[in-house]
Amino acid sequence: MTRRALAAGTALLLLSGAALAQAPIVIKFSHVVAPDTPKGRGADKFKELAEKYTNGKVKVEVYPNSQLFKDKEEVEALQLGAVQMLAPSLAKFGPLGAKEFEVFDLPYILPDKAALRRVTDGALGKRLFDKLQSKGITGLAYWDNGFKVMSANKPLRMPADFRGLKMRIQSSKVLEAQFRALGAIPQVMAFSEVYQGMQTGVVDGSENTPSNMFTQKHHEVQKYITLSDHGYIGYAVITNKKFWDGLPAEIRTELDKAMTEATSYANQVADKDNADALEEMKKSGKTTFITLTPDEKAAWKTALEPVTADMAKRVGKDVIEEFQKEAKGGTQ
């Protein structure tokens, strides 16, 4: 009887062990934007591919629209292991101590997407990710959103038009300096609160990409949008270093493959979504679009030029010079 009970107990333990061995590795992927944005669709594509390539050994749970954490909370949550994956704006790493990432926020530093790709795929892109290791973070990929436009309840054609306006920004010293250079008052505000802030007059305007503005309905509470393309918003897909290093090597290989393909997909989506969002906002007739003349754009560039010089000490003069060199196609 004892031997039979022992055998039954052993069988039960073996079954439990097998069940545990087959339990999927859960990756919580949290982000602050809508599912139908480039980031949102990239996250969903990663989920689909990660689960497919690992044959279900990994389960990715995507939490959009700040469901789990807001802008200011999400990176700390990742470091603590409350989530395993995020795709924060590159501007988020400055407050974390990796100020070099703020080079991406400098106005008019990127002429086009080809220049951007040379930076993110090059030596500097890799070196910037290395800066995150000491923060308990592993960088996996750079995802595009796109070039930024300005919105407000008054036409923004010349730098003087910004004077005294309360403009929402992400937490970034570079973006703060940018709006101060234009004579505006920068206001740090969580992305999820911007619509209400505009509606109630807490902020007068903001900068963002067309897809982010459209999915959050900013065009319904802003009378004007200026097609300035003055700056860039991109994301870094990051993971908790301890979690990532602890994964079986073969699982990591499949997840890397899924991330490479999801990155290509997300970047294509970004181009299309921004073009479509602009079209839809124009069709809505709820906001007036302003295209800057060459002289007006030159005035913006002149007004914003000092920002790069002022931020050199913070971001690193060598980082800015290397960024500019790689953007132009120069080699080290």
Side-chain angles (χ1 to χ4, degrees):
M1 194 73 173
T2 309
R3 195 174 289 171
R4 198 175 292 168
L6 187 64
T10 305
L12 194 63
L13 276 171
L14 286 169
L15 278 170
S16 302
L20 278 171
Q22 287 167 8
I25 296 162
V26 175
I27 295 176
K28 289 182 179 176
F29 192 150
S30 170
H31 64 82
V32 300
V33 297
D36 55 342
T37 54
K39 188 198 292 191
R41 288 167 68 189
D44 290 343
K45 176 58 76 172
F46 174 72
K47 169 184 167 65
E48 174 200 320
L49 295 173
E51 291 176 357
K52 176 184 165 185
Y53 292 153
T54 62
N55 293 315
K57 288 176 186 166
V58 168
K59 184 187 176 200
V60 180
E61 297 173 356
V62 179
Y63 297 92
N65 272 329
S66 308
Q67 279 176 13
L68 290 185
F69 301 101
K70 288 187 178 179
D71 281 8
K72 288 179 182 176
E73 309 159 344
E74 61 174 12
V75 175
E76 188 182 0
L78 180 94
Q79 289 172 305
L80 293 170
V83 291
Q84 287 72 45
M85 209 170 273
L86 303 174
S89 298
L90 296 167
K92 294 278 172 57
F93 300 116
L96 195 66
K99 294 167 188 171
E100 296 87 347
F101 275 90
E102 291 183 350
V103 68
F104 286 99
D105 290 335
L106 291 168
Y108 291 113
I109 197 166
L110 281 167
D112 51 40
K113 283 277 179 77
L116 165 72
R117 203 64 66 233
R118 284 193 290 271
V119 173
T120 56
D121 292 353
L124 183 58
K126 184 182 181 305
R127 202 148 57 251
L128 288 173
F129 272 164
D130 290 345
K131 300 267 180 198
L132 299 177
Q133 294 281 323
S134 63
K135 321 283 181 196
I137 294 168
T138 295
L140 299 177
Y142 290 96
W143 285 4
D144 288 348
N145 188 321
F147 288 96
K148 294 183 282 191
V149 297
M150 291 279 193
S151 75
N153 281 325
K154 64 176 279 192
L156 301 173
R157 293 185 182 278
M158 293 293 282
D161 297 329
F162 284 87
R163 202 162 292 140
L165 292 184
K166 300 188 294 285
M167 300 294 286
R168 178 265 171 177
I169 60 163
Q170 303 184 70
S171 181
S172 160
K173 294 294 180 189
V174 174
L175 299 181
E176 199 176 302
Q178 170 189 281
F179 279 111
R180 292 206 188 282
L182 292 168
I185 304 157
Q187 304 266 51
V188 176
M189 182 181 279
F191 182 61
S192 56
E193 295 165 14
V194 178
Y195 178 91
Q196 192 178 1
M198 289 171 168
Q199 199 175 35
T200 56
V202 173
V203 291
D204 299 310
S206 79
E207 56 164 21
N208 222 310
T209 57
S211 65
N212 276 352
M213 282 188 176
F214 177 63
T215 53
Q216 298 293 322
K217 300 182 171 32
H218 291 181
H219 63 294
E220 294 183 1
V221 285
Q222 298 274 269
K223 290 176 185 172
Y224 297 92
I225 290 175
T226 301
L227 303 174
S228 50
D229 290 343
H230 62 283
Y232 166 77
I233 292 184
Y235 309 115
V237 186
I238 57 174
T239 184
N240 177 288
K241 184 180 185 302
K242 192 175 174 185
F243 166 78
W244 189 255
D245 291 349
L247 290 173
E250 66 276 11
I251 293 285
R252 255 200 327 266
T253 300
E254 296 304 332
L255 292 179
D256 274 331
K257 182 184 172 187
M259 184 56 69
T260 299
E261 290 181 29
T263 298
S264 177
Y265 171 81
N267 291 346
Q268 287 169 22
V269 164
D271 286 340
K272 186 175 187 306
D273 277 14
N274 279 308
D276 289 351
L278 268 182
E279 200 54 43
E280 289 300 316
M281 288 192 289
K282 284 175 182 174
K283 271 200 272 185
S284 77
K286 291 180 176 175
T287 191
T288 301
F289 283 81
I290 297 167
T291 301
L292 298 174
T293 67
D295 285 349
E296 286 166 348
K297 186 164 259 197
W300 283 49
K301 286 183 177 179
T302 300
L304 291 168
E305 246 169 38
V307 177
T308 300
D310 291 348
M311 288 291 119
K313 195 172 178 185
R314 178 181 171 82
V315 177
K317 190 168 182 283
D318 55 334
V319 172
I320 293 171
E321 285 173 357
E322 188 179 350
F323 190 103
Q324 290 169 327
K325 194 173 184 179
E326 285 192 10
K328 285 174 185 167
T331 52
Q332 295 264 27

